[in-house]
């Protein structure tokens, strides 16, 4: 089953009854550096009629999870750049569209401007920051980008200044409030109006850091009205791919397991290798994931992946005999409950997890469906056609540009791009996979999802897993998964996870529990922690 939510508390959920743990093992050396992040500053919501966009809508390259931020305000119109008092940024296709005195160059870029009101307070202000996580500690990196002085001339710069001096910006890795870098990588650049500078920085991460964070800050020498542009950003380094198993490291012989990476790496090549002795590996796949049937009992299987030539850790999966057929042959466990919230063949043709296909009303938003069970006790209401505001839910199709938020099919919730697709698409290979999206009110602490599961065998061990995702990246909400006896209300098992921003789908699981009645209740609880 899958469950998911929006900006303040956005989660996603896929349930079946399994277990996942990872063990590290590295049979080959990493081939670094590789592309780990960057951007051409293309606005994913851009159209020919738009002049600019927000950092949250910027298309990036490399693995998912990188994030832009800024210490100054987003300009909601071009006029903000022409106001002599404002300090703002925007992403544009041409700086000239922001202010007629800026250079006229057809190039996507981020433009940041410091206004004339109290300009001295913006010394060491972070005009832009870009963070890439999952990097090998102590590894080497290279950063390159183009830095423009977008003011067109020394005089008449449109901000009330009467003269112009070259201004200064400082570029570095993880700069503190004084512009110092823990990795000892920083440099000041003189930026002349109307010029383009190519910036190249190399270094090694400071001890303990597992991320690269590029900071561009205002220097000590600048005048009000200075405006810079940044584009063609590329970061090369050494990331650390991790391998996961949908069934865990100990599974029943005869079961199938999805062997996949911890996130979307957007790599050009994937090479999967397996071994039954941990020494001799053979290539077994070239896609983003593997779907393997592990037939031999009492055997340890080893898997790792080369991602653009960089080796992942290695997962070790041991098979055991759980069930046998009438002839004593090992059998896999059975799914007693599974819900992936279905998929859409087109905008209004929906197939649920049980295979029932329906046509959704034309008055509903494209790729929008309701659940087949009752959520009224949680106070959540189905929104068939709108933005899915607070206290509302809907089955939607996640995408890099968000989900459809009205019936026209022309408007998407572009901020809802924490994951590029539904999690079950990794297993089924089907596009248009649905996920349950729930928008929880700020600081809400209570049950947001509940469902009774019937028809269980008593006095048997069962396993549970689901996947959640933070869809907006603004905060890191926390959820608790509870499984209770439907008859007595007794808590049988629980797991708690934080839906960390920009971390893709996060697995929540309960390794093992014994049920004594044929029905259990699954609860998803928002703890209120991590919300604004």
């Amino acid at each position: 089953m899958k469950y998911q939510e929006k900006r303040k508390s956005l989660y996603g959920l896929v349930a079946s009854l399994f277990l996942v743990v990872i063990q590290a093992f590295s049979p080959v050396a990493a081939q670094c550096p590789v592309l780990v992040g960057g951007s051409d500053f293309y606005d994913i919501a851009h159209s020919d009629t738009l002049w600019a966009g927000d950092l949250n809508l910027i298309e990036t390259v490399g693995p998912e999870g990188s994030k832009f931020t800024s210490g100054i305000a987003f300009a909601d119109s071009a006029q903000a750049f022409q106001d002599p008092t404002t300090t703002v940024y925007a992403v544009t296709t041409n700086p000239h569209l922001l202010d007629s005195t800026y250079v006229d160059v057809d190039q996507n870029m981020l433009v940041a401007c410091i206004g004339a009101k109290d300009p001295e307070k913006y010394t060491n202000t972070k005009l832009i920051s870009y963070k890439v996580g999952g990097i090998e500690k102590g590894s080497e990196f290279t950063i390159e980008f183009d830095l423009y002085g977008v003011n067109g001339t020394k005089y008449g710069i449109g901000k009330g200044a009467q003269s112009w001096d070259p201004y200064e910006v400082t570029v570095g890795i993880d700069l503190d409030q004084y512009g110092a870098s823990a990795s000892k990588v920083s440099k000041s650049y003189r930026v002349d109006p109307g010029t383009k500078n190519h910036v190249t920085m190399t270094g090694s991460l400071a001890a303990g850091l597992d991320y690269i964070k590029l900071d561009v800050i205002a220097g000590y020498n600048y005048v009000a009205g200075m405006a810079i542009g940044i584009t063609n950003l590329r970061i090369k380094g050494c990331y650390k791919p991790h391998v996961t198993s949908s069934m865990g490291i100990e599974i029943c012989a005869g079961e199938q397991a999805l062997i996949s990476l911890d996130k979307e790496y957007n790599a050009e090549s994937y090479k999967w290798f397996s071994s039954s002795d941990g020494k001799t590996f053979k290539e077994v796949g070239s896609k983003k994931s593997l779907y393997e049937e592990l037939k031999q009992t009492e055997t340890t299987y080893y898997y790792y992946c080369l991602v653009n030539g960089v080796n992942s850790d290695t997962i070790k999966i041991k098979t055991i005999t759980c069930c046998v057929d009438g002839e004593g042959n090992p059998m896999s466990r059975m799914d007693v409950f599974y819900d992936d919230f279905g998929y859409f063949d087109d905008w209004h043709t929906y197939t649920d997890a049980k295979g029932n296909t329906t046509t959704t009303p034309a008055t509903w938003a494209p790729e929008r469906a309701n659940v087949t069970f009752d959520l009224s006790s949680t106070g959540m209401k189905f929104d068939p056609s709108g933005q899915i505001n607070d206290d509302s839910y809907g089955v939607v199709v996640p995408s890099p540009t968000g989900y459809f938020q009205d019936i026209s099919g022309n408007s998407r919730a572009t901020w809802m791009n924490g994951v590029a697709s539904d999690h079950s698409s990794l297993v089924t290979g089907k596009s248009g996979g649905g996920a349950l999206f729930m928008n929880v009110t700020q600081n809400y602490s209570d049950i947001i999802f509940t469902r009774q599961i019937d028809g269980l065998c008593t006095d048997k061990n069962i396993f549970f897993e689901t996947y959640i995702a933070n869809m907006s990246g603004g905060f890191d909400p926390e959820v608790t998964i509870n499984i209770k006896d439907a008859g007595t209300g007794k808590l049988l098992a629980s797991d708690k996870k934080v839906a960390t921003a920009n971390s893709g789908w996060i697995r929540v699981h309960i390794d093992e529990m014994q049920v004594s009645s044929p029905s259990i209740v699954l609860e998803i609880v928002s703890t209120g922690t991590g919300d604004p």
Side-chain angles (χ1 to χ4, degrees), residues 309-324:
V310 178
N311 66 288
S312 70
D313 57 5
T314 296
I315 190 171
K316 296 193 292 185
I317 306 173
K318 182 180 179 181
T319 58
I320 59 175
T321 301
C322 296
C323 309
V324 294

Side-chain angles (χ1 to χ4, degrees), residues 19-92:
L19 151 78
V20 175
V21 182
I22 301 173
Q23 277 186 290
F25 181 81
S26 298
V28 296
Q31 303 298 312
C32 296
V34 295
L35 183 67
V36 297
S39 180
D40 293 323
F41 294 93
Y42 176 77
D43 179 357
I44 59 176
H46 186 75
S47 70
D48 291 340
T49 60
L50 294 177
W51 60 271
D54 192 351
L55 281 177
N56 293 325
L57 305 178
I58 298 307
E59 187 176 84
T60 59
V61 298
E64 70 176 11
S66 60
K67 183 177 180 61
F68 283 101
T69 57
S70 178
I72 59 179
F74 168 61
D76 56 3
S77 70
Q79 284 70 35
F81 284 87
Q82 298 155 27
D83 183 339
T85 67
T86 57
T87 296
V88 291
Y89 80 86
V91 177
T92 183

Side-chain angles (χ1 to χ4, degrees), residues 38 55 150 162 187 191 197 231 249 252 285 308 361 364 376 419 512:
L55 281 177
V150 301
Q162 299 303 310
K187 184 177 180 180
V191 183
N197 305 271
T231 189
I249 63 169
C252 299
N308 277 347
W364 290 12
S376 61
V419 292
E512 184 175 345

Side-chain angles (χ1 to χ4, degrees), residues 1 3 11-13 15 448-449 464-468 478-484 491-497 507-510 513 521-527:
M1 169 186 156
Y3 148 77
Y11 323 122
L13 163 64
I448 56 175
F449 177 96
F464 171 83
E465 76 169 7
T466 189
Y467 288 85
I468 66 174
E478 181 182 73
V479 295
T480 298
I481 310 294
N482 293 328
I483 295 182
K484 298 180 177 180
L491 180 65
L492 302 176
S494 183
D495 190 23
K496 183 180 294 185
K497 282 291 188 298
R507 182 174 177 268
V508 183
H509 63 99
I510 293 172
M513 58 187 162
V521 174
L522 168 65
E523 290 181 349
I524 312 294
V525 180
S526 171
T527 68

Side-chain angles (χ1 to χ4, degrees), residues 2-4 11-14 64 262 398 419-424 426 435 467-469 471 503-507:
K2 280 191 174 106
Y3 148 77
Q4 167 179 23
Y11 323 122
L13 163 64
V14 183
E64 70 176 11
D262 58 323
V419 292
S421 68
D422 170 54
H423 180 271
S424 59
L426 296 172
Y467 288 85
I468 66 174
M471 305 306 293
S503 294
W505 290 105
I506 300 168
R507 182 174 177 268

Side-chain angles (χ1 to χ4, degrees), residues 211-272:
Y211 62 86
I212 298 171
K213 186 163 78 74
L214 169 68
D215 292 319
V216 179
I217 67 175
Y220 288 93
N221 299 316
Y222 64 87
V223 297
M226 64 166 274
I228 63 167
I230 297 171
T231 189
N232 297 326
L233 172 62
R234 293 293 183 272
I235 299 180
K236 291 185 177 181
C238 189
Y239 46 50
K240 295 177 58 179
H242 297 284
V243 179
T244 66
S245 162
S246 64
M247 299 291 285
I249 63 169
E250 186 175 88
I251 70 174
C252 299
E255 288 184 340
Q256 293 179 321
L258 175 70
I259 314 298
S260 58
L261 297 167
D262 58 323
K263 61 183 177 181
E264 173 61 70
Y265 280 84
N266 295 311
E268 295 180 359
S269 68
Y270 300 86
K271 292 184 179 180
W272 287 93

Side-chain angles (χ1 to χ4, degrees), residues 439-488:
N439 180 8
V440 178
T441 305
Q442 290 182 1
N443 301 316
Y444 184 77
S445 178
D446 207 338
I447 298 171
I448 56 175
F449 177 96
T450 182
R451 184 169 184 178
Q452 182 164 315
I453 301 170
D454 302 312
L456 302 178
C457 295
T458 59
D459 299 318
K460 297 292 184 182
N461 290 337
I462 64 173
F463 304 81
F464 171 83
E465 76 169 7
T466 189
Y467 288 85
I468 66 174
N470 184 326
M471 305 306 293
S472 71
F475 302 92
D476 296 334
E478 181 182 73
V479 295
T480 298
I481 310 294
N482 293 328
I483 295 182
K484 298 180 177 180
D485 186 297
T488 66

Side-chain angles (χ1 to χ4, degrees), residues 39-41 107-110 144-148 196 229-234:
S39 180
D40 293 323
F41 294 93
Q107 174 70 61
N108 290 337
M109 68 176 71
L110 177 139
E144 295 188 63
F145 63 92
D146 291 329
L147 175 63
Y148 282 81
K196 172 184 173 182
I230 297 171
T231 189
N232 297 326
L233 172 62
R234 293 293 183 272

